[in-house]
Amino acid sequence: GQNIDQPTEMTATEGAIVQINCTYQTSGFNGLFWYQQHAGEAPTFLSYNVLDGLEEKGRFSSFLSRSKGYSYLLLKELQMKDSASYLCAVHSKANQAGTALIFGKGTTLSVSS
Amino acid sequence: DVKVTQSSRYLVKRTGEKVFLECVQDMDHENMFWYRQDPGLGLRLIYFSYDVKMKEKGDIPEGYSVSREKKERFSLILESASTNQTSMYLCASSLAQDINEQFFGPGTRLTVL
């Protein structure tokens, strides 16, 4: 089966750094995505990793190790507006016909002042 | 900017009713997806489509069907709505099979009474 694990909840304070981990076991791997979802809104794209290593984009970075089936999203200089759910998703084989994104259950991050 | 729109933000239906959820994207994307999102369960793939008139089952297709008569439009159909189909329904699209960044619509909160 396909499985993506990430912590359910995390808390942090403004200005801090937080790392959200994601481990996966999937049928094939064509890349890993991180999405941000604020309450009541649609997910929005944050980052994409297909090769091992770190991808940096402003305050957000994402890391991938394909051999370990592991990724993390690093958020620096946390702001209150970063309070949201963060979804890890793997582009993998969905069925005999093709591929789709398989999502983890999401990590709800609460940032306090 | 890619725009994915869904026909309703909120919908209330009765048990046994036939329900249509419409999704339209304006960027000529080949792939379209329907998910439902429930607390503690994350995003689960219902159906997806790679081309007009093509459809593939996702993880939880039971109780649903889909229609893709035009490239820009992907409809989700609940033949006979049940209370356990009360959920947030999210539509997404992506450019092609090997380019899987997905763009999400705003979601439809469906309540079945």
Side-chain angles (χ1 to χ4, degrees), chain A residues 41-101:
Chain A
E41 298 181 11
T44 55
F45 170 80
L46 282 180
S47 70
Y48 172 64
N49 295 70
V50 65
L51 300 176
D52 289 352
L54 190 68
E55 294 282 341
E56 296 185 83
K57 190 187 290 186
R59 293 189 299 115
F60 293 4
S61 303
S62 56
F63 171 83
L64 175 67
S65 169
R66 287 172 297 169
S67 62
K68 295 181 179 177
Y70 168 69
S71 173
Y72 68 71
L73 180 69
L74 192 71
L75 294 77
K76 302 176 186 176
E77 301 169 16
L78 280 173
Q79 303 174 10
M80 297 292 285
K81 67 178 182 179
D82 297 329
S83 293
S85 184
Y86 292 85
L87 310 178
C88 175
V90 174
H91 183 196
S92 178
K93 191 172 179 63
N95 58 23
Q96 295 298 325
T99 61
L101 285 185

Side-chain angles (χ1 to χ4, degrees), chain A residues 33 35 37 40-45 48 87 91 94-95 97-106, chain B residues 9 33 35 37 40-43 45 48 50 56-57 59 90 97-98 100-106:
Chain A
F33 292 81
Y35 280 82
Q37 186 178 25
E41 298 181 11
T44 55
F45 170 80
Y48 172 64
L87 310 178
H91 183 196
N95 58 23
T99 61
L101 285 185
I102 311 299
F103 282 85
K105 294 178 182 177
Chain B
R9 287 303 301 270
F33 307 83
Y35 297 88
Q37 187 173 32
L41 296 177
L43 275 161
L45 183 63
F48 57 108
Y50 294 128
E56 297 293 338
K57 292 180 179 179
D59 297 322
L90 288 161
Q97 266 279 48
D98 57 351
N100 214 271
E101 178 188 343
Q102 293 188 9
F103 297 85
F104 284 84

Side-chain angles (χ1 to χ4, degrees), chain A residues 1-59:
Chain A
Q2 312 215 72
N3 195 47
I4 299 177
D5 285 319
Q6 48 182 133
T8 304
E9 293 180 338
M10 297 183 73
T11 59
T13 54
E14 270 189 302
I17 299 173
V18 71
Q19 178 174 311
I20 303 174
N21 295 324
C22 172
T23 58
Y24 62 89
Q25 292 173 307
T26 56
S27 304
F29 179 85
N30 297 324
L32 187 143
F33 292 81
W34 284 95
Y35 280 82
Q36 181 189 58
Q37 186 178 25
H38 285 100
E41 298 181 11
T44 55
F45 170 80
L46 282 180
S47 70
Y48 172 64
N49 295 70
V50 65
L51 300 176
D52 289 352
L54 190 68
E55 294 282 341
E56 296 185 83
K57 190 187 290 186
R59 293 189 299 115

Side-chain angles (χ1 to χ4, degrees), chain B residues 24-88:
Chain B
V24 178
Q25 49 92 5
D26 66 358
M27 285 300 290
D28 203 34
H29 281 181
E30 290 182 5
N31 303 338
M32 297 188 75
F33 307 83
W34 274 108
Y35 297 88
R36 63 178 284 176
Q37 187 173 32
D38 302 286
L41 296 177
L43 275 161
R44 293 181 292 167
L45 183 63
I46 305 171
Y47 267 98
F48 57 108
S49 169
Y50 294 128
D51 202 350
V52 175
K53 296 195 185 297
M54 292 184 67
K55 59 183 179 182
E56 297 293 338
K57 292 180 179 179
D59 297 322
I60 51 164
E62 296 79 18
Y64 303 94
S65 62
V66 291
S67 172
R68 192 153 180 214
E69 296 297 317
K70 294 184 178 181
K71 190 174 186 179
E72 67 271 18
R73 187 180 298 269
F74 192 36
S75 303
L76 180 70
I77 303 155
L78 287 67
E79 294 290 342
S80 177
S82 63
T83 54
N84 62 13
Q85 292 178 309
T86 292
S87 186
M88 170 67 85

